[in-house]
Amino acid sequence: MTLPRIHILALGGTIATRPDASGAMQMGLGADDLVAAVPLLAQLADIRAETVSRVGSHSLSFDQLHALAAKIKALDVDGVIVTQGTDTLEETGFLLDLLVERDIPVIVTAAMRNPALTSPDGPGNLLAAVRVACDPWVRAHAKALGVIAVMLDEVYAASDVLKIHPTRLNAFASPQTGPLAALVEDRVVPLSLPVRAPVEAARRRLGALTDIGREQPVALLWMALDEPGYLLEVLVDHRDQLGYRGIVLAAMGGGHVPERIAPLLTQLAEIVPVVVSPRAGGGPLLQQTYGGPSSEIALRKAGLIWGGRLNPLKARVLLETCLRAGLDRPAIVDVFDAWA
Ligand code: GLU
């Protein structure tokens, strides 16, 4: 029986750390080390391992991820597993989901507990990821699943998964949709298929993105009680100097901001695309319930782009990608409308 060819791409992160002389954990392990720690992998798959980088995911760049996406697109294999840090996995996975369309499983995984601790989770997560990549249901539905994250024996859609705790083992969840599958014993138990229409709509607009374009910095601004808007003032007054090409605004409730900053937002929306996203982390924004100068009705009329149910971190990834692809404002509105 030929085993599925699974290609592991190691980026770095806690899963790839080892202690230095002082005991501090440094990014030191490569893909071969990760594979060597789990001898069982060889019985499940024909494993190929490649070290792409040894950096923490907090320092990854959009450019590096575009290069990674190009690499994944070109691989002649039956499944791809990316190992990385957990800190930005909810963003990197979503970006790969936007960039890579393949009919093989593409999985991101990581570790919360480093290899020097008792019961590190990296080896178990890598084993689980390989099991998922080799599973017949996952392989048959690879396109419908899109890029997936495997953490602590659960499978999540990259477009929904969030990091919800900085240290504990069960740090990942998809609060809006729940997991797509669970691992029990050595089996993958399917639970649901994700709604892919918004990602597919975005992909259609983004096109092939063969040229990765230039970085398009997007600021993420969190709205909070009595926010005075000084940063917004600077963005309006120094529009040419700050370098931001777009803004994601994590708004209160169904899409609200403090009344005192509404005029500034109207000005800002004339300068750069400003996407409104739920500060609550997800769940569809309102469109037509509340009146008043800083309600969803007023902000939509003022030209702010409605991010729907997309988490602010993911909205930022999507806006950067749209801007890189050179989409104009109506096209960007279209892309975000699909998440309404
Ligand atoms: N901050 C590091 C990273 O994201 C370590 C965190 C982790 O992997 O859990 O790569």
Side-chain angles (χ1 to χ4, degrees), residues 182-196:
L183 278 108
V184 180
E185 299 166 338
D186 55 2
R187 293 172 289 129
V188 173
V189 179
L191 299 173
S192 62
L193 287 172
V195 173
R196 297 287 292 163

Side-chain angles (χ1 to χ4, degrees), residues 216-252:
Q216 301 289 326
V218 173
L220 174 54
L221 303 179
W222 216 260
M223 290 296 102
L225 181 73
D226 207 18
E227 165 62 51
Y230 300 143
L231 281 172
L232 296 173
E233 256 168 39
V234 175
L235 285 166
V236 170
D237 292 345
H238 302 276
R239 60 194 73 173
D240 299 329
Q241 289 150 35
L242 291 182
Y244 287 113
R245 302 277 176 255
I247 311 288
V248 170
L249 205 71
M252 295 147 158

Side-chain angles (χ1 to χ4, degrees), residues 12-15 27 55-58 84-88 110-112 163:
T14 290
I15 194 168
M27 308 291 151
V55 297
S57 73
H58 48 272
Q84 62 160 94
T86 58
D87 287 355
T88 57
M112 291 300 297
K163 186 176 183 183

Side-chain angles (χ1 to χ4, degrees), residues 266-283:
T266 306
Q267 280 178 274
L268 196 59
E270 283 164 12
I271 301 167
V272 287
V274 181
V275 172
V276 174
S277 179
R279 166 181 110 160

Side-chain angles (χ1 to χ4, degrees), residues 104-134:
I104 57 168
V106 178
I107 298 173
V108 286
T109 192
M112 291 300 297
R113 288 171 63 79
N114 70 58
L117 294 171
T118 303
S119 68
D121 54 330
N125 284 341
L126 184 58
L127 175 60
V130 172
R131 279 198 202 287
V132 169
C134 297

